[in-house]
Amino acid sequence: EPFRERIARAADAKKSPIVLALDLPTSKRNLPAFAAKTIRAVGQHICAVKMNFHLILPLSASEISRINKLVHSYGLQSIADIKLNDIENTNEVAIDHLTRMGFDAVIANPFIGKGGLAALVQKAHKAGAGVIALVYMSHPGAKEGFGLEVGGRGLYSEFLERATGAGADGIVVGATQLDILRQVAKQQLPVYSPGIGAQGGDAEQAIRSGADYLIIGRSIVEAAQPAKVAKEIQSRILLSVRK
Ligand code: NUP
């Protein structure tokens, strides 16, 4: 079963479109133990876990593999957020390592070009993994890159075309970019939206504007009661969808 369907099935089973960004602060002593504790606490309220440099840099491949096994034992998918943005060969080596560690998908930057993105998607699909392409990031400076005017239109719309053309499994558009979310909602690719809470975006607004999955980190991970916060967001979204 392709990644796109695996994560849709997980979201359906958990009744949650939340992708937990497992971004642990550097001050945490025992990162693998804290990661496991967080997954156990919120596993019922999310459909996937996303790991970024917060864990991928300090942990060993076997420590990451163990976390991915735990993620899978909860019926969740695992996404590597390293925003691949390199030459074809390097991207392919990265996909090899990531899939061996148990990741189900990787986030990539269409800046590498049509051919590079297509090669990356092909390589990932052969390994049973998915690719999610950046289209418009959530931070204030995103307009200086993704929003650049190229040939009379925003670079992001070119990136969206590249993602579709390459057969990517989803796109990233910030929850802080509601206009862009509304624009891309018309297309066929699932939209992953970060920037909720800590970066000022709102979960319900993002869903209403066209987000399919919500990537949420600090507001859950750093909460005194992560499960409570995750559950609250989950039920708020379910209500807003029903309206
Ligand atoms: O546009 C993006 N914005 C963003 O925040 C693309 C991302 N991949 N992210 C990542 O999502 C970011 O690096 C972090 O891992 C997570 C958001 O975390 P938080 O702001 O909810 O704590």
Side-chain angles (χ1 to χ4, degrees), residues 21-23 50-52 54 81 83 107 134 136-139 172-174 194-199 215-219:
L22 197 46
D23 297 344
K50 181 182 79 65
M51 288 188 234
N52 202 330
H54 310 64
D81 186 2
K83 302 179 185 69
I107 296 180
L134 296 177
Y136 208 116
M137 287 183 70
S138 58
H139 60 299
V172 172
V173 174
I196 286 147
Q199 297 178 53
I215 296 174
I216 309 179
R218 288 163 290 175
S219 48

Side-chain angles (χ1 to χ4, degrees), residues 94-180:
I95 299 272
D96 262 338
H97 284 299
L98 293 170
T99 51
R100 276 182 213 159
M101 285 187 256
F103 284 107
D104 297 285
V106 63
I107 296 180
N109 192 342
F111 196 79
I112 53 178
K114 271 183 219 153
L117 189 65
L120 200 158
V121 171
Q122 260 188 17
K123 170 83 180 175
H125 284 180
K126 244 185 246 161
V131 175
I132 302 167
L134 296 177
V135 163
Y136 208 116
M137 287 183 70
S138 58
H139 60 299
K143 59 178 176 299
E144 297 165 23
F146 301 89
L148 272 181
E149 282 239 355
V150 183
R153 60 172 185 164
L155 187 55
Y156 70 92
S157 64
E158 166 72 21
F159 282 5
L160 176 62
E161 270 178 34
R162 288 183 195 174
T164 308
D169 304 276
I171 57 170
V172 172
V173 174
T176 49
Q177 321 282 359
L178 295 179
D179 286 345
I180 312 287

